[in-house]
Amino acid sequence: MKVGPVEVIVCAFPEPEVDEPVIVSLSKAVLSGAIALIDLVLVMRDGQGVLHVRDLEDDLPPAWSAMVVGSRPLTLLSDTDIGIAAESIGNNETALVAALEHRWAQRLAEDVRNAGGVVALHARIPHETVVRAFEADGVEAT
């Protein structure tokens, strides 16, 4: 099986649940074929500070499970990933931890490997930095 670049993202929310528009947006990206959802964990800290971890095999709404590649999720996310997510949230907050395969880049990644190449650097530029750069060039960005 050919696999494109995979990355883990952590999105923190100031509420106990992930808003429906976030689920819909992720679902649209999966259905378009741009990405594949390989693994997903929701990390929630309740009002007393107790951490609750739910994955796709737990009782999550069907919208989450419908996005998974194949018949079942892979166990790719680690305790370290969950720990990082837990550090990013306070009481009554939730973090979404997702392992995403960038299917749009699958062919490029394969061609790089076939040419004997490797990804020498993968860096994500923060949204605010990109917005400031566009605005410095006179382009309105949000």
Side-chain angles (χ1 to χ4, degrees):
M1 178 172 122
K2 294 179 182 175
V3 177
V6 174
E7 75 177 329
V8 173
I9 64 167
V10 176
C11 302
F13 301 94
E15 300 173 2
E17 295 293 329
V18 177
D19 287 348
E20 185 70 22
V22 173
I23 299 169
V24 170
S25 181
L26 181 59
S27 180
K28 285 181 179 180
V30 170
L31 291 174
S32 76
I35 63 170
L37 181 63
I38 295 174
D39 197 0
L40 177 131
V41 174
L42 294 177
V43 180
M44 190 272 224
R45 193 178 302 280
D46 66 22
Q48 288 71 44
V50 177
L51 201 64
H52 303 272
V53 178
R54 297 183 297 168
D55 64 20
L56 289 168
E57 294 176 349
D58 292 326
D59 188 27
L60 290 180
W64 292 113
S65 297
M67 290 185 259
V68 177
V69 175
S71 60
R72 64 183 184 86
L74 296 175
T75 305
L76 187 63
L77 296 171
S78 68
D79 289 341
T80 301
D81 298 320
I82 294 168
I84 291 168
E87 290 176 11
S88 71
I89 59 171
N91 290 0
N92 291 317
E93 295 182 347
T94 300
L96 161 67
V97 187
L100 305 172
E101 176 190 5
H102 292 278
R103 291 220 164 142
W104 62 268
Q106 196 174 55
R107 179 62 190 213
L108 174 62
E110 181 181 5
D111 288 343
V112 168
R113 286 189 301 272
N114 289 340
V118 296
V119 175
L121 174 66
H122 175 94
R124 186 159 305 262
I125 301 171
H127 177 77
E128 297 78 20
T129 303
V130 175
V131 168
R132 283 194 301 272
F134 275 111
E135 290 173 347
D137 284 342
V139 178
E140 185 176 329
T142 57

